[in-house]
């Protein structure tokens, strides 16, 4: 990305609730089209709260964020995970 220590910033945009997940493709598309350098972060902890602690819905939300990042060429990060290799295989690049 060519970030320079004298002034460039790296934005991390956290998708951490149902509303964010429902709109993640549009968010990612907008960021790509505006040439914003950022990491799209899948915030699983608060996302779980948003989905009433339903593990299947939370996992689906996380996967939707990962897929949007891949589709629109944005790197994706995720909260600490026990499934590092699996998440890496899915396309996650920041942990």
């Amino acid at each position: 990305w060519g970030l320079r220590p004298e002034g460039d910033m790296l934005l991390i945009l956290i998708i951490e609730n149902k509303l964010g997940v429902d709109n993640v493709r549009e968010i990612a598309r907008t960021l790509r089209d505006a040439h914003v350098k950022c990491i799209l972060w899948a915030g699983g902890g608060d996302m779980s709260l948003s989905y009433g602690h339903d593990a299947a819905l939370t996992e689906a939300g996380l996967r939707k964020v990962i897929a949007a990042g891949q589709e629109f060429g944005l790197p994706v990060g995720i909260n600490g995970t026990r499934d590092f290799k699996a998440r890496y295989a899915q396309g996650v690049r920041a942990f």
Side-chain angles (χ1 to χ4, degrees), residues 6 24 38 40 53-54 56-57 60 66 77 80:
E6 66 273 6
V24 71
C38 68
L40 194 60
H53 298 288
D54 184 307
L57 290 175
I66 294 166

Side-chain angles (χ1 to χ4, degrees), residues 27 30 35 38 51-52 58 76 88 91 95:
I27 292 166
T30 300
H35 305 287
C38 68
Y51 284 114
T58 302
V76 176
Y88 190 85
F95 298 87

Side-chain angles (χ1 to χ4, degrees), residues 59 78 80-90 92 95:
E59 178 61 26
I78 196 167
T81 180
R82 292 179 296 253
D83 302 322
F84 176 83
K85 289 182 181 180
R87 293 295 188 198
Y88 190 85
Q90 292 171 341
V92 176
F95 298 87

Side-chain angles (χ1 to χ4, degrees), residues 17-65:
N17 61 32
K18 184 181 182 319
L19 180 61
V21 171
D22 289 347
N23 292 287
V24 71
R25 288 189 73 251
E26 185 61 30
I27 292 166
R29 178 185 297 115
T30 300
L31 293 167
R32 181 206 57 198
D33 292 351
H35 305 287
V36 175
K37 295 176 183 177
C38 68
I39 294 176
L40 194 60
W41 198 273
D46 286 339
M47 190 182 296
S48 176
L49 290 172
S50 180
Y51 284 114
H53 298 288
D54 184 307
L57 290 175
T58 302
E59 178 61 26
L62 293 171
R63 287 177 182 258
K64 192 169 180 181
V65 174

